Amino acid sequence: ETGVTQSPTHLIKTRGQQVTLRCSSQSGHNTVSWYQQALGQGPQFIFQYYREEENGRGNFPPRFSGLQFPNYSSELNVNALELDDSALYLCASSLSRVGAQETQYFGPGTRLLVL
Amino acid sequence: AQKITQTQPGMFVQEKEAVTLDCTYDTSDQSYGLFWYKQPSSGEMIFLIYQGSYDEQNATEGRYSLNFQKARKSANLVISASQLGDSAMYFCAMREGLTGGYNKLIFGAGTRLAVHP
């Protein structure tokens, strides 16, 4: 059983650029959630995708967008990068099913630095 | 609004001793789940233990146990027989609702645990 993988591991961008982060969910999982973790803080929920549709969104502007593909992998896109977007971006996958408790399993994260 | 509070920014423990990491939560929901994750310096969040709001028994997973006191809204993590590899950040998180549907985790600020030989 393969775990959650993310790419790239590290990324450096300049202000105003666009970035795409990728996530492959754990085998058998159908839901992907993205979190932003600024230095010294706990992760903050960005959004969640279930069966290729956005299933909930946190307090992030529209320049944060995403996709989920039929194989349940996912992308996080951030347009018009700002310095405050520098953070660790974590992807988590889970299996959503009726009557069952869900646990989110996280990938290793992508460290984004915006200069 | 739902909230998780971890009041210990840092904790020290001697190897082989037990340590308790505190977590209090605030929610108006009757159904919720509580999680603990470990984050080593590499960055990956590692799932440790889960407690559902209707679970009558405290959850245990190997050396990890969750001291769940519902009336006090606390969900403290107890690590027994600490090991050097336990040195990491520990996050308490809460999920609204128990099963299915929208699955957002709310995290606390974390506690950094250092295990000394």
Side-chain angles (χ1 to χ4, degrees):
Chain A
E1 182 181 276
T2 52
V4 180
T5 60
Q6 292 185 243
S7 61
T9 55
H10 296 80
L11 205 51
I12 300 175
K13 291 285 188 178
T14 56
R15 196 170 45 182
Q17 285 189 311
Q18 178 266 342
V19 68
T20 297
L21 310 182
R22 295 178 174 84
C23 171
S24 291
S25 60
Q26 185 169 313
S27 176
H29 287 182
N30 55 15
T31 301
V32 172
S33 306
W34 286 92
Y35 294 82
Q36 181 196 65
Q37 186 178 18
L39 196 61
Q41 299 181 18
Q44 299 288 319
F45 177 77
I46 302 175
F47 44 55
Q48 180 179 86
Y49 278 84
Y50 172 67
R51 292 186 175 180
E52 302 178 55
E53 292 195 1
E54 189 178 290
N55 188 35
R57 189 178 184 91
N59 190 25
F60 280 81
R63 59 190 185 83
F64 285 78
S65 63
L67 284 172
Q68 187 180 31
F69 301 99
N71 66 354
Y72 302 122
S73 65
S74 178
E75 287 183 355
L76 164 65
N77 300 290
V78 187
N79 293 322
L81 283 167
E82 301 177 0
L83 298 180
D84 284 349
D85 295 333
S86 295
L88 177 66
Y89 288 85
L90 294 163
C91 168
S93 75
S94 57
L95 175 61
S96 294
R97 50 188 172 164
V98 175
Q101 183 277 123
E102 290 179 48
T103 295
Q104 294 189 17
Y105 294 91
F106 286 79
T110 294
R111 293 189 187 274
L112 173 64
L113 177 62
V114 182
L115 301 175
Chain B
Q2 292 70 29
K3 187 177 179 182
I4 293 282
T5 302
Q6 295 181 254
T7 57
Q8 308 154 313
M11 289 284 287
F12 295 91
V13 66
Q14 205 74 22
E15 193 178 9
K16 299 180 184 177
E17 291 186 349
V19 63
T20 298
L21 306 183
D22 294 341
C23 172
T24 57
Y25 59 92
D26 188 20
T27 181
S28 56
D29 286 352
Q30 295 301 310
S31 298
Y32 51 88
L34 295 159
F35 300 80
W36 278 91
Y37 287 87
K38 170 185 178 181
Q39 187 176 43
S41 56
S42 60
E44 182 173 357
M45 300 283 280
I46 301 168
F47 167 70
L48 296 178
I49 197 166
Y50 164 81
Q51 180 89 39
S53 58
Y54 294 119
D55 294 342
E56 295 184 353
Q57 303 275 358
N58 285 343
T60 60
E61 289 285 350
R63 295 187 298 112
Y64 304 108
S65 60
L66 201 152
N67 184 2
F68 181 47
Q69 298 187 45
K70 194 170 181 177
R72 300 177 67 176
K73 292 189 174 180
S74 74
N76 298 338
L77 176 70
V78 180
I79 305 174
S80 62
S82 297
Q83 302 173 355
L84 296 179
D86 294 336
S87 295
M89 282 291 288
Y90 287 81
F91 289 95
C92 179
M94 176 173 62
R95 181 204 174 202
E96 292 181 294
L98 280 179
T99 62
Y102 186 35
N103 182 11
K104 165 186 174 180
L105 290 179
I106 301 162
F107 285 85
T111 295
R112 181 169 297 281
L113 176 67
V115 181
H116 291 176

